[in-house]
PDB file of all heavy atoms in Angstrom:
ATOM      1  N   ARG A  42     130.264 106.705 100.614  1.00 96.00           N
ATOM      2  CA  ARG A  42     131.638 106.534 101.094  1.00 96.00           C
ATOM      3  C   ARG A  42     132.600 107.337 100.215  1.00 96.00           C
ATOM      4  O   ARG A  42     133.521 107.993 100.709  1.00 96.00           O
ATOM      5  CB  ARG A  42     132.016 105.051 101.077  1.00 96.00           C
ATOM      6  CG  ARG A  42     133.378 104.747 101.718  1.00 96.00           C
ATOM      7  CD  ARG A  42     133.683 103.260 101.649  1.00 96.00           C
ATOM      8  NE  ARG A  42     132.672 102.481 102.333  1.00 96.00           N
ATOM      9  CZ  ARG A  42     132.079 101.411 101.818  1.00 96.00           C
ATOM     10  NH1 ARG A  42     132.393 100.998 100.612  1.00 96.00           N
ATOM     11  NH2 ARG A  42     131.179 100.753 102.516  1.00 96.00           N
ATOM     12  N   MET A  48     125.006 113.177  99.764  1.00 97.00           N
ATOM     13  CA  MET A  48     124.112 112.530  98.806  1.00 97.00           C
ATOM     14  C   MET A  48     123.877 113.379  97.562  1.00 97.00           C
ATOM     15  O   MET A  48     123.851 112.863  96.437  1.00 97.00           O
ATOM     16  CB  MET A  48     122.775 112.200  99.483  1.00 97.00           C
ATOM     17  CG  MET A  48     121.754 111.576  98.543  1.00 97.00           C
ATOM     18  SD  MET A  48     122.321 110.062  97.716  1.00 97.00           S
ATOM     19  CE  MET A  48     121.977 108.833  98.965  1.00 97.00           C
ATOM     20  N   PHE A  54     127.075 113.522  90.533  1.00 98.00           N
ATOM     21  CA  PHE A  54     128.084 112.673  89.899  1.00 98.00           C
ATOM     22  C   PHE A  54     127.416 111.586  89.058  1.00 98.00           C
ATOM     23  O   PHE A  54     127.832 111.303  87.922  1.00 98.00           O
ATOM     24  CB  PHE A  54     128.967 112.029  90.971  1.00 98.00           C
ATOM     25  CG  PHE A  54     129.765 110.868  90.464  1.00 98.00           C
ATOM     26  CD1 PHE A  54     130.925 111.064  89.731  1.00 98.00           C
ATOM     27  CD2 PHE A  54     129.347 109.556  90.707  1.00 98.00           C
ATOM     28  CE1 PHE A  54     131.655 109.983  89.241  1.00 98.00           C
ATOM     29  CE2 PHE A  54     130.080 108.481  90.228  1.00 98.00           C
ATOM     30  CZ  PHE A  54     131.224 108.697  89.483  1.00 98.00           C
ATOM     31  N   GLY A  69     129.858 112.496  76.442  1.00 97.00           N
ATOM     32  CA  GLY A  69     128.575 113.175  76.603  1.00 97.00           C
ATOM     33  C   GLY A  69     128.664 114.301  77.624  1.00 97.00           C
ATOM     34  O   GLY A  69     129.312 114.162  78.653  1.00 97.00           O
ATOM     35  N   ARG A  89     127.121 124.317  92.772  1.00 98.00           N
ATOM     36  CA  ARG A  89     128.121 124.204  93.839  1.00 98.00           C
ATOM     37  C   ARG A  89     128.778 122.828  93.845  1.00 98.00           C
ATOM     38  O   ARG A  89     129.998 122.705  94.009  1.00 98.00           O
ATOM     39  CB  ARG A  89     127.448 124.495  95.184  1.00 98.00           C
ATOM     40  CG  ARG A  89     128.344 124.354  96.405  1.00 98.00           C
ATOM     41  CD  ARG A  89     127.706 125.009  97.621  1.00 98.00           C
ATOM     42  NE  ARG A  89     126.309 124.663  97.770  1.00 98.00           N
ATOM     43  CZ  ARG A  89     125.855 123.567  98.367  1.00 98.00           C
ATOM     44  NH1 ARG A  89     126.723 122.692  98.856  1.00 98.00           N
ATOM     45  NH2 ARG A  89     124.564 123.339  98.485  1.00 98.00           N
ATOM     46  N   ARG A  98     138.892 117.244  90.141  1.00 96.00           N
ATOM     47  CA  ARG A  98     139.223 116.729  88.810  1.00 96.00           C
ATOM     48  C   ARG A  98     138.399 115.488  88.463  1.00 96.00           C
ATOM     49  O   ARG A  98     138.816 114.654  87.659  1.00 96.00           O
ATOM     50  CB  ARG A  98     140.711 116.417  88.690  1.00 96.00           C
ATOM     51  CG  ARG A  98     141.604 117.632  88.886  1.00 96.00           C
ATOM     52  CD  ARG A  98     143.063 117.285  88.701  1.00 96.00           C
ATOM     53  NE  ARG A  98     143.341 116.900  87.329  1.00 96.00           N
ATOM     54  CZ  ARG A  98     144.276 116.017  86.956  1.00 96.00           C
ATOM     55  NH1 ARG A  98     145.005 115.400  87.885  1.00 96.00           N
ATOM     56  NH2 ARG A  98     144.481 115.718  85.683  1.00 96.00           N
ATOM     57  N   VAL A  99     137.205 115.398  89.063  1.00 97.00           N
ATOM     58  CA  VAL A  99     136.286 114.316  88.714  1.00 97.00           C
ATOM     59  C   VAL A  99     135.594 114.636  87.399  1.00 97.00           C
ATOM     60  O   VAL A  99     135.288 113.743  86.603  1.00 97.00           O
ATOM     61  CB  VAL A  99     135.255 114.088  89.834  1.00 97.00           C
ATOM     62  CG1 VAL A  99     134.174 113.102  89.411  1.00 97.00           C
ATOM     63  CG2 VAL A  99     135.955 113.589  91.097  1.00 97.00           C
ATOM     64  N   GLY A 106     129.332 121.918  77.691  1.00 96.00           N
ATOM     65  CA  GLY A 106     128.823 121.612  79.023  1.00 96.00           C
ATOM     66  C   GLY A 106     129.865 120.941  79.895  1.00 96.00           C
ATOM     67  O   GLY A 106     131.061 121.161  79.728  1.00 96.00           O
ATOM     68  N   ASP A 118     140.885 102.391  90.177  1.00 96.00           N
ATOM     69  CA  ASP A 118     139.921 102.161  91.255  1.00 96.00           C
ATOM     70  C   ASP A 118     138.533 102.668  90.881  1.00 96.00           C
ATOM     71  O   ASP A 118     137.523 102.115  91.333  1.00 96.00           O
ATOM     72  CB  ASP A 118     140.409 102.794  92.565  1.00 96.00           C
ATOM     73  CG  ASP A 118     140.659 104.287  92.440  1.00 96.00           C
ATOM     74  OD1 ASP A 118     140.991 104.755  91.333  1.00 96.00           O
ATOM     75  OD2 ASP A 118     140.530 104.996  93.457  1.00 96.00           O
ATOM     76  N   ALA A 135     119.151  88.907  88.589  1.00 97.00           N
ATOM     77  CA  ALA A 135     119.291  87.465  88.819  1.00 97.00           C
ATOM     78  C   ALA A 135     118.411  87.006  89.984  1.00 97.00           C
ATOM     79  O   ALA A 135     117.719  85.978  89.887  1.00 97.00           O
ATOM     80  CB  ALA A 135     120.755  87.123  89.081  1.00 97.00           C
ATOM     81  N   ASP A 167     120.448 104.601  85.987  1.00 97.00           N
ATOM     82  CA  ASP A 167     119.057 104.898  85.637  1.00 97.00           C
ATOM     83  C   ASP A 167     118.112 104.389  86.722  1.00 97.00           C
ATOM     84  O   ASP A 167     117.171 105.089  87.121  1.00 97.00           O
ATOM     85  CB  ASP A 167     118.696 104.250  84.298  1.00 97.00           C
ATOM     86  CG  ASP A 167     119.324 104.957  83.108  1.00 97.00           C
ATOM     87  OD1 ASP A 167     119.774 106.113  83.268  1.00 97.00           O
ATOM     88  OD2 ASP A 167     119.360 104.350  82.019  1.00 97.00           O
ATOM     89  N   VAL A 173     114.860 107.198  93.280  1.00 94.00           N
ATOM     90  CA  VAL A 173     114.821 108.473  93.999  1.00 94.00           C
ATOM     91  C   VAL A 173     113.601 109.279  93.556  1.00 94.00           C
ATOM     92  O   VAL A 173     112.850 109.831  94.372  1.00 94.00           O
ATOM     93  CB  VAL A 173     116.114 109.280  93.760  1.00 94.00           C
ATOM     94  CG1 VAL A 173     115.978 110.707  94.302  1.00 94.00           C
ATOM     95  CG2 VAL A 173     117.302 108.574  94.420  1.00 94.00           C
ATOM     96  N   ASP A 174     113.388 109.336  92.238  1.00 92.00           N
ATOM     97  CA  ASP A 174     112.284 110.134  91.695  1.00 92.00           C
ATOM     98  C   ASP A 174     110.926 109.525  92.034  1.00 92.00           C
ATOM     99  O   ASP A 174     109.990 110.226  92.416  1.00 92.00           O
ATOM    100  CB  ASP A 174     112.451 110.254  90.176  1.00 92.00           C
ATOM    101  CG  ASP A 174     111.461 111.213  89.568  1.00 92.00           C
ATOM    102  OD1 ASP A 174     111.445 112.400  89.966  1.00 92.00           O
ATOM    103  OD2 ASP A 174     110.671 110.796  88.686  1.00 92.00           O
ATOM    104  N   ASN A 176     110.018 107.657  94.499  1.00 90.00           N
ATOM    105  CA  ASN A 176     109.677 107.535  95.925  1.00 90.00           C
ATOM    106  C   ASN A 176     109.653 108.879  96.649  1.00 90.00           C
ATOM    107  O   ASN A 176     109.780 108.919  97.874  1.00 90.00           O
ATOM    108  CB  ASN A 176     110.679 106.598  96.609  1.00 90.00           C
ATOM    109  CG  ASN A 176     110.450 105.151  96.240  1.00 90.00           C
ATOM    110  OD1 ASN A 176     109.500 104.517  96.700  1.00 90.00           O
ATOM    111  ND2 ASN A 176     111.303 104.613  95.374  1.00 90.00           N
ATOM    112  N   LEU A 184     118.546 111.474 100.651  1.00 97.00           N
ATOM    113  CA  LEU A 184     119.184 110.850 101.805  1.00 97.00           C
ATOM    114  C   LEU A 184     118.174 110.072 102.629  1.00 97.00           C
ATOM    115  O   LEU A 184     118.487 109.014 103.188  1.00 97.00           O
ATOM    116  CB  LEU A 184     119.888 111.896 102.672  1.00 97.00           C
ATOM    117  CG  LEU A 184     120.620 111.359 103.906  1.00 97.00           C
ATOM    118  CD1 LEU A 184     121.676 110.324 103.517  1.00 97.00           C
ATOM    119  CD2 LEU A 184     121.252 112.497 104.697  1.00 97.00           C
ATOM    120  N   VAL A 201     115.564  87.012 107.321  1.00 89.00           N
ATOM    121  CA  VAL A 201     115.970  85.823 106.568  1.00 89.00           C
ATOM    122  C   VAL A 201     116.908  84.951 107.408  1.00 89.00           C
ATOM    123  O   VAL A 201     116.860  83.723 107.353  1.00 89.00           O
ATOM    124  CB  VAL A 201     116.631  86.233 105.240  1.00 89.00           C
ATOM    125  CG1 VAL A 201     117.295  85.037 104.565  1.00 89.00           C
ATOM    126  CG2 VAL A 201     115.599  86.852 104.302  1.00 89.00           C
ATOM    127  N   LEU A 206     111.784  81.754 110.992  1.00 55.00           N
ATOM    128  CA  LEU A 206     110.846  82.514 110.167  1.00 55.00           C
ATOM    129  C   LEU A 206     111.275  82.374 108.702  1.00 55.00           C
ATOM    130  O   LEU A 206     111.051  81.386 108.071  1.00 55.00           O
ATOM    131  CB  LEU A 206     110.817  83.974 110.625  1.00 55.00           C
ATOM    132  CG  LEU A 206     110.442  84.141 112.110  1.00 55.00           C
ATOM    133  CD1 LEU A 206     110.548  85.587 112.528  1.00 55.00           C
ATOM    134  CD2 LEU A 206     109.045  83.619 112.365  1.00 55.00           C
ATOM    135  N   VAL A 226     123.038 102.269 110.866  1.00 98.00           N
ATOM    136  CA  VAL A 226     122.631 102.897 109.605  1.00 98.00           C
ATOM    137  C   VAL A 226     123.577 104.045 109.258  1.00 98.00           C
ATOM    138  O   VAL A 226     124.022 104.177 108.110  1.00 98.00           O
ATOM    139  CB  VAL A 226     121.176 103.408 109.703  1.00 98.00           C
ATOM    140  CG1 VAL A 226     120.766 104.139 108.429  1.00 98.00           C
ATOM    141  CG2 VAL A 226     120.221 102.252 109.982  1.00 98.00           C
ATOM    142  N   ASN A 256     115.200  97.582 120.414  1.00 94.00           N
ATOM    143  CA  ASN A 256     116.396  97.122 119.694  1.00 94.00           C
ATOM    144  C   ASN A 256     116.777  98.023 118.527  1.00 94.00           C
ATOM    145  O   ASN A 256     117.809  97.791 117.895  1.00 94.00           O
ATOM    146  CB  ASN A 256     116.189  95.700 119.156  1.00 94.00           C
ATOM    147  CG  ASN A 256     116.110  94.687 120.270  1.00 94.00           C
ATOM    148  OD1 ASN A 256     116.459  94.994 121.408  1.00 94.00           O
ATOM    149  ND2 ASN A 256     115.657  93.493 119.968  1.00 94.00           N
ATOM    150  N   GLY A 257     115.923  98.992 118.218  1.00 96.00           N
ATOM    151  CA  GLY A 257     116.229  99.870 117.090  1.00 96.00           C
ATOM    152  C   GLY A 257     115.021 100.093 116.203  1.00 96.00           C
ATOM    153  O   GLY A 257     113.885 100.126 116.676  1.00 96.00           O
ATOM    154  N   VAL A 260     110.967  98.818 109.684  1.00 95.00           N
ATOM    155  CA  VAL A 260     110.083  99.447 108.713  1.00 95.00           C
ATOM    156  C   VAL A 260     108.646  99.136 109.109  1.00 95.00           C
ATOM    157  O   VAL A 260     108.318  98.005 109.479  1.00 95.00           O
ATOM    158  CB  VAL A 260     110.383  98.934 107.285  1.00 95.00           C
ATOM    159  CG1 VAL A 260     109.327  99.404 106.310  1.00 95.00           C
ATOM    160  CG2 VAL A 260     111.753  99.402 106.837  1.00 95.00           C
ATOM    161  N   GLU A 273      98.465 104.353  91.382  1.00 64.00           N
ATOM    162  CA  GLU A 273      99.076 105.092  90.276  1.00 64.00           C
ATOM    163  C   GLU A 273     100.564 105.291  90.517  1.00 64.00           C
ATOM    164  O   GLU A 273     101.399 105.154  89.604  1.00 64.00           O
ATOM    165  CB  GLU A 273      98.381 106.456  90.131  1.00 64.00           C
ATOM    166  CG  GLU A 273      98.856 107.246  88.926  1.00 64.00           C
ATOM    167  CD  GLU A 273      98.055 108.528  88.745  1.00 64.00           C
ATOM    168  OE1 GLU A 273      96.931 108.618  89.260  1.00 64.00           O
ATOM    169  OE2 GLU A 273      98.577 109.441  88.081  1.00 64.00           O
ATOM    170  N   LYS A 278     106.132 103.613  89.204  1.00 65.00           N
ATOM    171  CA  LYS A 278     107.434 103.137  89.675  1.00 65.00           C
ATOM    172  C   LYS A 278     107.796 101.828  88.987  1.00 65.00           C
ATOM    173  O   LYS A 278     108.902 101.672  88.466  1.00 65.00           O
ATOM    174  CB  LYS A 278     107.391 102.942  91.188  1.00 65.00           C
ATOM    175  CG  LYS A 278     108.716 102.545  91.805  1.00 65.00           C
ATOM    176  CD  LYS A 278     108.546 102.093  93.245  1.00 65.00           C
ATOM    177  CE  LYS A 278     107.745 103.055  94.083  1.00 65.00           C
ATOM    178  NZ  LYS A 278     107.609 102.606  95.485  1.00 65.00           N
ATOM    179  N   ILE A 282     110.856 100.824  86.187  1.00 90.00           N
ATOM    180  CA  ILE A 282     111.773  99.708  86.436  1.00 90.00           C
ATOM    181  C   ILE A 282     111.722  98.722  85.270  1.00 90.00           C
ATOM    182  O   ILE A 282     112.768  98.255  84.785  1.00 90.00           O
ATOM    183  CB  ILE A 282     111.424  99.003  87.758  1.00 90.00           C
ATOM    184  CG1 ILE A 282     111.707  99.927  88.941  1.00 90.00           C
ATOM    185  CG2 ILE A 282     112.226  97.706  87.911  1.00 90.00           C
ATOM    186  CD1 ILE A 282     111.189  99.410  90.266  1.00 90.00           C
ATOM    187  N   LEU A 294     121.502  91.523  78.351  1.00 95.00           N
ATOM    188  CA  LEU A 294     121.275  90.828  79.621  1.00 95.00           C
ATOM    189  C   LEU A 294     120.269  89.698  79.416  1.00 95.00           C
ATOM    190  O   LEU A 294     119.120  89.938  79.057  1.00 95.00           O
ATOM    191  CB  LEU A 294     120.752  91.808  80.672  1.00 95.00           C
ATOM    192  CG  LEU A 294     120.408  91.215  82.032  1.00 95.00           C
ATOM    193  CD1 LEU A 294     121.643  90.635  82.711  1.00 95.00           C
ATOM    194  CD2 LEU A 294     119.762  92.265  82.937  1.00 95.00           C
ATOM    195  N   TYR A 303     127.756  88.986  84.768  1.00 98.00           N
ATOM    196  CA  TYR A 303     128.604  89.540  85.828  1.00 98.00           C
ATOM    197  C   TYR A 303     129.988  89.871  85.281  1.00 98.00           C
ATOM    198  O   TYR A 303     130.548  89.114  84.476  1.00 98.00           O
ATOM    199  CB  TYR A 303     128.769  88.530  86.968  1.00 98.00           C
ATOM    200  CG  TYR A 303     127.613  88.459  87.936  1.00 98.00           C
ATOM    201  CD1 TYR A 303     127.038  87.227  88.260  1.00 98.00           C
ATOM    202  CD2 TYR A 303     127.118  89.604  88.555  1.00 98.00           C
ATOM    203  CE1 TYR A 303     125.990  87.144  89.160  1.00 98.00           C
ATOM    204  CE2 TYR A 303     126.067  89.523  89.453  1.00 98.00           C
ATOM    205  CZ  TYR A 303     125.503  88.298  89.749  1.00 98.00           C
ATOM    206  OH  TYR A 303     124.462  88.227  90.646  1.00 98.00           O
ATOM    207  N   PRO A 309     128.782  90.642  97.170  1.00 96.00           N
ATOM    208  CA  PRO A 309     128.142  90.290  98.442  1.00 96.00           C
ATOM    209  C   PRO A 309     127.103  91.336  98.842  1.00 96.00           C
ATOM    210  O   PRO A 309     127.241  92.518  98.505  1.00 96.00           O
ATOM    211  CB  PRO A 309     129.308  90.277  99.437  1.00 96.00           C
ATOM    212  CG  PRO A 309     130.355  91.152  98.816  1.00 96.00           C
ATOM    213  CD  PRO A 309     130.204  90.986  97.336  1.00 96.00           C
TER     214      PRO A 309
END
Side-chain angles (χ1 to χ4, degrees):
R42 187 181 301 132
M48 177 57 83
F54 164 79
R89 177 165 46 84
R98 299 182 66 211
V99 172
D118 58 331
D167 287 343
V173 170
D174 188 58
N176 286 286
L184 181 58
V201 169
L206 303 175
V226 177
N256 292 346
V260 171
E273 185 175 339
K278 184 192 310 181
I282 292 171
L294 177 63
Y303 280 129

